Amino acid sequence: MTIKNIAVLTSGGDAPGMNAAIRAVVLAAHHYALPTIGFFSGYNGLIEASSTLLTPASVNGIIHRGGTILKSARCPAMLTEQGLKSAAATLRKEQIDALIVIGGDGSFNGLLALNKYWSGAIIGIPGTIDNDIDGTDFTIGFSTAVNTGIEAIDKIRDTAEAFERIFIVEVMGRRSGHITFNVGIASAAEQILSFENFSQADEQEKLSHLAKEIKQAQHNRHASYIIVIAENLWPGGAVQLAKQLKQTANIDCTACILGYIQRGGSPVAKDRILATKMGVAAVQALIAGKNNVMIGERNNQLLTVPLDVAVQHKEKVSESLVSAQESILALTAQ
């Protein structure tokens, strides 16, 4: 297939570095004399035919900006046949030969579904703070989200130390523990609770264990105690865990939910560079005839991964991180 016109959109949850990826796609396409159309608000822009021509001038000065100049959104209509047909019709009307989507697994599943109704080439660029895409060491936005979490907990630690308090800090990640373990270890949290070391079936046992460890730390006159917990893990979240520790062990805890603060902000250098490399590689992959793939990076080497492989969620948090926390760091912190 000869590529004459490229389209790009950002879909799902925003991630720091998405703008850097858009910029790289546009500049690479311009280098190869390929016009680039940007669709607004994720797949909604395809369905509603809301687009703009992107030029080098359009992406000047955006590499450092969080969010996405193309906006992003969820799109329930892409789960329907009519929505997919409408999106495909827009691509045909605009004479788009290839579509690049920057997003996570939901966005990639949308691409795979769209390909049943449209014959153009499709490429995915992994942009999600959750780092839950298979086939790449890191996703765009993950490093910034981790740094944001660390900065927040460092500040919380100051207050915890000053008042000798216990904080339960809930971080984002959906169903992935990458942010939880990386933030928890880097901020020297006394306890880390994530999908890798907790099951709801063990709730009461874990509650008793936490209470015992906290009381031991208090006995040893530790001035502060930080528990980092993954969202969607503990029934009722950090607030409920704090209530249960109070009710069952008379332990006062303060729950702090970082939430969307981790999705915003200027991307760190690592995300800007990763996004730039992946954006350029996506355009080059299209020119080379690649289709139905995601751009990934392993051991600092760019590669392509089949889209249906990228969304399988087989890759988990490094066992070395989990083991280090469980067998050494948590015990040493007492």
Side-chain angles (χ1 to χ4, degrees):
M1 175 190 297
T2 301
I3 304 296
K4 296 181 179 179
N5 294 287
I6 291 176
V8 61
L9 60 85
T10 50
S11 172
D14 62 309
M18 280 185 165
N19 278 327
I22 294 170
R23 172 181 176 272
V25 167
V26 172
L27 294 183
H30 179 74
H31 174 78
Y32 292 106
L34 298 172
T36 304
I37 301 296
F39 284 93
F40 291 108
S41 302
Y43 287 110
N44 295 291
L46 285 182
I47 293 173
E48 298 165 7
S50 176
S51 65
T52 186
L53 176 66
L54 294 173
T55 66
S58 305
V59 297
N60 183 41
I62 69 170
I63 194 171
H64 65 287
R65 291 168 55 184
T68 159
I69 62 168
L70 291 177
K71 312 301 179 185
S72 191
R74 313 291 181 186
C75 186
M78 284 293 286
L79 299 175
T80 68
E81 183 179 18
Q82 183 56 49
L84 291 166
K85 287 182 176 179
S86 296
T90 297
L91 289 168
R92 285 191 289 268
K93 182 179 179 181
E94 297 288 339
Q95 297 183 322
I96 302 298
D97 301 307
L99 175 62
I100 298 172
V101 170
I102 307 165
D105 63 337
S107 304
F108 293 168
N109 280 316
L111 259 185
L112 290 169
L114 177 61
N115 208 32
K116 299 174 183 177
Y117 298 88
W118 176 65
S119 60
I122 56 175
I123 299 281
I125 296 178
T128 167
I129 68 169
D130 302 331
N131 205 42
D132 60 348
I133 301 296
D134 290 359
T136 186
D137 290 335
F138 299 105
T139 58
I140 297 167
F142 171 69
S143 295
T144 305
V146 168
N147 279 13
T148 299
I150 293 168
E151 290 173 4
I153 294 177
D154 285 349
K155 292 177 172 64
I156 291 169
R157 177 73 78 175
D158 290 342
T159 297
E161 288 280 341
F163 288 90
E164 297 185 342
R165 288 182 178 174
I166 302 159
F167 276 82
I168 304 172
V169 184
E170 184 176 301
V171 298
M172 297 188 84
R174 197 169 51 168
R175 297 287 176 183
S176 166
H178 288 280
I179 290 178
T180 309
F181 265 95
N182 280 270
V183 168
I185 287 177
S187 59
E190 279 71 25
Q191 292 288 339
I192 299 172
L193 291 182
S194 187
F195 303 96
E196 293 73 20
N197 64 352
F198 172 78
S199 167
Q200 290 187 8
D202 302 324
E203 179 183 340
Q204 291 305 313
E205 180 182 347
K206 180 64 76 171
L207 188 65
S208 297
H209 174 74
L210 281 175
K212 178 182 177 182
E213 297 293 343
I214 292 170
K215 286 184 178 294
Q216 181 63 42
Q218 290 175 325
H219 177 74
N220 293 336
R221 299 198 60 79
H222 275 239
S224 64
Y225 197 97
I226 303 290
I227 302 169
V228 175
I229 182 174
E231 67 174 348
N232 300 315
L233 177 77
W234 195 273
V239 173
Q240 181 61 26
L241 175 56
K243 288 180 180 179
Q244 288 176 272
L245 284 169
K246 177 63 175 178
Q247 292 168 354
T248 62
N250 197 32
I251 295 174
D252 291 315
C253 299
T254 300
C256 183
I257 301 173
L258 296 189
Y260 287 94
I261 187 176
Q262 293 179 273
R263 290 244 294 260
S266 180
V268 298
K270 187 171 183 178
D271 279 326
R272 298 185 195 192
I273 294 167
L274 179 64
T276 300
K277 291 192 292 184
M278 286 183 168
V280 171
V283 174
Q284 292 176 329
L286 288 171
I287 292 172
K290 298 291 181 66
N291 187 14
N292 273 309
V293 297
M294 177 198 79
I295 304 300
E297 186 180 60
R298 289 286 201 199
N299 300 317
N300 293 316
Q301 297 294 320
L302 292 171
L303 71 163
T304 57
V305 181
L307 276 172
D308 57 354
V309 171
V311 298
Q312 291 180 3
H313 294 295
K314 289 185 177 180
E315 297 183 15
K316 305 299 181 183
V317 175
S318 168
E319 291 184 5
S320 62
L321 284 181
V322 179
S323 176
Q325 175 64 25
E326 294 295 296
S327 62
I328 298 175
L329 300 178
L331 297 175
T332 305
Q334 302 309 314

